[in-house]
């Protein structure tokens, strides 16, 4: 009976490729103040108790941002792995950038946030997906992280992951840089950087692969000479884009 109850309390979804369950995400980081899931594994709805079938792809996503104290209905997929009642962070982007990315809708960067949630109940689930009711515990807008969090040094042992994949792709929107690098769609890294007084502050970092889709929030001061070098290299190799 106790084992069955534990299974009901755990929402750990299966990979559609290998049929394996991912390891539980670490909800703490030495360098970042927030550690959680990237927005790709969660879809926000305006439903309450009646939800579409789990395999239904065409339904109206919500464009109402989560607010503290709300109970919202969301659809989650692999590698989601969390127990009912346990707080977790997930990155939120408005609906257009959730489908197409910030590089298509950079005006939504400053509307994006990390949302702390906990599962209140499972509405419906199968091996790969689940409809959940979640309680919104907190909402922290990304644009404020340079003021919310203490500045930390990101000069050593941190940026090598981007260079491992070759020249990063960079797009610039106002005082924001989005930097990404990956290997044939299998794994990669990205960072959202805010330019302040000729310095570069990474406020969000993400890493993804077959069995992970993680995002981290903080205030990481990056070495100016190195990022300037990346920008120059990206411009020379047609891997730089400016969006008005």
């Amino acid at each position: 009976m106790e084992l069955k109850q534990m299974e009901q309390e755990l929402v750990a979804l299966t990979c559609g490729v290998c049929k394996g369950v991912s390891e539980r995400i670490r909800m703490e980081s030495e360098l970042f103040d927030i550690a959680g899931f990237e927005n790709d594994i969660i879809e926000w709805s305006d439903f309450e108790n009646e939800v579409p079938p789990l395999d239904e792809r065409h339904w109206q996503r919500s464009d109402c941002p989560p607010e503290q104290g709300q109970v919202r209905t969301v659809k989650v997929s692999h590698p989601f792995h969390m127990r009912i009642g346990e707080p977790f962070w997930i990155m939120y982007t408005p609906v257009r950038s959730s489908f197409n990315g910030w590089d298509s809708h950079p005006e939504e960067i400053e509307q994006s946030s990390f949302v702390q949630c906990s599962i209140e109940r499972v509405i419906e689930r199968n091996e790969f997906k689940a409809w959940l009711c979640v309680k919104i515990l907190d909402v922290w807008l990304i644009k404020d992280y340079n003021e919310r969090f203490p500045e930390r040094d990101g000069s050593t042992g941190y940026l090598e992951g981007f260079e491992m994949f070759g020249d990063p792709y960079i797009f610039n929107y106002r005082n924001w840089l989005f930097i990404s690098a990956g290997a044939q769609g299998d794994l990669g890294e990205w960072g959202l950087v805010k330019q302040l007084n000729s310095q570069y502050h990474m406020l969000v970092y993400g890493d993804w692969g077959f069995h992970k889709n993680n995002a981290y929030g903080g205030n990481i001061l990056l070495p100016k000479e190195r990022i300037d070098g990346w920008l120059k290299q990206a411009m020379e190799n047609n891997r730089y884009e400016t969006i008005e």
Side-chain angles (χ1 to χ4, degrees):
M1 177 67 78
E2 289 184 4
L3 179 60
K4 186 175 181 181
Q5 185 177 2
M6 288 176 62
E7 289 173 348
Q8 290 174 340
E9 290 177 350
L10 177 66
V11 181
L13 301 175
T14 300
C15 172
V17 177
C18 75
K19 313 304 181 191
V21 174
S22 294
E23 291 185 12
R24 174 185 163 79
I25 186 175
R26 291 184 60 196
M27 286 291 169
E28 64 279 330
S29 166
E30 292 181 2
L31 193 58
F32 289 93
D33 296 271
I34 297 175
F37 297 106
E38 197 184 330
N39 61 312
D40 285 0
I41 72 166
I42 190 169
E43 298 170 276
W44 296 84
S45 84
D46 293 319
F47 303 126
E48 293 184 4
N49 293 319
E50 299 294 325
V51 294
L54 286 163
D55 293 330
E56 175 62 55
R57 298 180 63 185
H58 303 290
W59 52 273
Q60 185 69 41
R61 274 66 174 178
S62 175
D63 204 18
C64 295
E67 296 179 9
Q68 185 178 16
Q70 287 181 331
V71 175
R72 296 287 297 268
T73 299
V74 299
K75 187 179 182 182
V76 295
S77 56
H78 178 266
F80 189 85
H81 186 141
M82 198 56 55
R83 291 193 178 279
I84 291 176
E86 187 175 21
F88 63 92
W89 288 97
I90 191 155
M91 196 178 86
Y92 166 81
T93 58
V95 67
R96 289 183 297 175
S97 50
S98 70
F99 276 116
N100 302 307
W102 280 324
D103 49 351
S104 296
H105 298 282
E107 73 281 359
E108 294 188 343
I109 290 173
E110 297 200 355
Q111 302 167 35
S112 301
S113 60
F114 274 81
V115 181
Q116 190 183 45
C117 309
S118 64
I119 305 169
E120 290 220 324
R121 65 186 178 91
V122 179
I123 300 173
E124 187 179 345
R125 65 183 290 184
N126 62 20
E127 202 178 350
F128 307 106
K129 302 179 186 298
W131 281 107
L132 308 174
C133 279
V134 297
K135 179 72 175 287
I136 309 301
L137 306 175
D138 223 333
V139 179
W140 292 356
L141 287 169
I142 288 167
K143 66 183 180 68
D144 300 329
Y145 289 1
N146 56 291
E147 298 174 354
R148 177 181 285 274
F149 298 128
E151 185 180 288
R152 300 188 187 182
D153 180 14
S155 61
T156 58
Y158 178 65
L159 297 177
E160 285 74 12
F162 287 93
E163 296 173 338
M164 178 178 69
F165 298 109
D167 294 340
Y169 161 76
I170 302 175
F171 90 75
N172 170 229
Y173 173 74
R174 296 180 179 173
N175 63 333
W176 294 100
L177 296 174
F178 181 81
I179 304 171
S180 63
Q184 298 180 349
D186 295 335
L187 70 161
E189 302 181 10
W190 59 268
L192 181 66
V193 176
K194 191 175 187 178
Q195 296 173 271
L196 292 166
N197 303 319
S198 77
Q199 293 186 316
Y200 298 105
H201 297 253
M202 183 178 286
L203 304 188
V204 188
Y205 166 76
D207 62 341
W208 53 271
F210 283 125
H211 283 186
K212 65 178 180 179
N213 208 340
N214 303 333
Y216 305 85
N219 181 15
I220 312 304
L221 182 62
L222 303 178
K224 184 178 187 304
E225 298 77 13
R226 197 161 178 185
I227 304 305
D228 284 342
W230 284 10
L231 284 165
K232 181 181 178 183
Q233 203 169 29
M235 291 175 186
E236 291 174 349
N237 296 331
N238 295 318
R239 294 184 59 79
Y240 175 84
E241 184 178 5
T242 299
I243 301 173
E244 299 298 334

